[in-house]
Amino acid sequence: NAGVTQTPKFQVLKTGQSMTLQCAQDMNHEYMSWYRQDPGMGLRLIHYSVGAGITDQGEVPNGYNVSRSTTEDFPLRLLSAAPSQTSVYFCASKKGGTNQPQHFGDGTRLSIL
Amino acid sequence: AQSVSQHNHHVILSEAASLELGCNYSYGGTVNLFWYVQYPGQHLQLLLKYFSGDPLVKGIKGFEAEFIKSKFSFNLRKPSVQWSDTAEYFCAVNFNNAGNMLTFGGGTRLMVKP
């Protein structure tokens, strides 16, 4: 059982480039989300989805797009990368219900030059 | 605004010392509470969670946490730490008016000296 799979693990981009971070889960979880982790700030929610075809903004959505065409996949797109987006990105999934814990992927370390 | 605070950013302990990491939140309604651990180079893993019932919850690896509603706190404890507990610890809260969203504290980086 793979759980939550993120690719790539590392990426270096130049300012202005675009890219997509991939996230896939095989647990049939309804809820998926993207976080960024920055030193001293914990994890901040970028976007989330409560099911296929439904997405919504989190705490820090600017500069990022998401889509959820299937239950399994939840890609995160950087439209025009900026140095402020240098961070570690985590994808997570969970069953519906507020008392269900999140399952996290291994993270993508992204550097924007 | 609803928030989660972890006041200890860095903690250094010797093996066998006792651990208590603070977590406070700002919200007067119903909450679900979580502690996650992130070992170096790894993803976040669930340590323990509280939804209702006994306010003292026990998690994996000898960790426990106590929910004190009057203090809006959910502190993490371990009686005797080991070198392998070196990690970053995150408190997270699901506020009842926020659907499935989790709000994380800033994290506490624990170093245990052998």
Side-chain angles (χ1 to χ4, degrees):
Chain A
N1 190 344
V4 180
T5 303
Q6 288 184 238
T7 56
K9 294 192 183 305
F10 302 95
Q11 185 70 51
V12 178
L13 293 177
K14 294 180 180 179
T15 297
Q17 286 185 312
S18 63
M19 82 159 292
T20 300
L21 307 186
Q22 301 291 344
C23 176
Q25 54 94 6
D26 61 359
M27 297 172 283
N28 202 31
H29 285 170
E30 301 94 330
Y31 186 85
M32 297 186 74
S33 51
W34 276 101
Y35 295 87
R36 59 178 289 173
Q37 182 182 21
D38 301 292
M41 302 184 75
L43 278 76
R44 292 181 293 168
L45 182 65
I46 304 171
H47 285 284
Y48 66 98
S49 168
V50 299
I54 306 170
T55 64
D56 207 344
Q57 296 181 349
E59 182 184 355
V60 288
N62 292 340
Y64 307 95
N65 273 1
V66 291
S67 60
R68 185 93 179 271
S69 56
T70 66
T71 299
E72 294 78 18
D73 300 300
F74 190 45
L76 177 73
R77 297 182 187 84
L78 279 71
L79 307 174
S80 177
S84 61
Q85 294 178 303
T86 293
S87 187
V88 180
Y89 292 84
F90 286 97
C91 179
S93 74
K94 65 187 287 293
K95 294 180 182 178
T98 56
N99 61 356
Q100 296 295 322
Q102 304 256 8
H103 298 258
F104 287 87
D106 287 339
T108 295
R109 188 173 294 274
L110 183 62
S111 294
I112 316 296
L113 305 179
Chain B
Q2 297 156 352
S3 63
V4 180
S5 299
Q6 293 180 242
H7 302 293
N8 309 104
H9 296 139
H10 292 90
V11 174
I12 301 174
L13 295 173
S14 298
E15 276 194 314
S18 64
L19 170 71
E20 181 161 2
L21 302 182
C23 173
N24 289 90
Y25 62 92
S26 61
Y27 179 63
T30 303
V31 293
N32 297 313
L33 302 158
F34 304 82
W35 274 98
Y36 286 86
V37 60
Q38 185 180 29
Y39 298 104
Q42 297 187 26
H43 61 266
L44 277 76
Q45 304 171 42
L46 182 68
L47 264 182
L48 48 77
K49 58 188 179 183
Y50 171 80
F51 306 130
S52 63
D54 188 344
L56 182 63
V57 292
K58 296 192 183 298
I60 60 172
K61 305 186 180 186
F63 286 90
E64 64 179 30
E66 184 175 13
F67 171 48
I68 303 179
K69 189 173 182 178
S70 61
K71 295 185 178 180
F72 304 97
S73 69
F74 189 54
N75 292 356
L76 181 72
R77 300 194 292 248
K78 185 170 184 178
S80 176
V81 294
Q82 300 172 309
W83 175 79
S84 57
D85 293 323
T86 294
E88 190 159 14
Y89 293 81
F90 293 94
C91 179
V93 180
N94 167 252
F95 298 105
N96 198 43
N97 64 352
N100 284 282
M101 291 172 58
L102 273 184
T103 300
F104 282 83
T108 297
R109 195 175 293 271
L110 171 67
M111 179 183 292
V112 180
K113 299 183 293 184

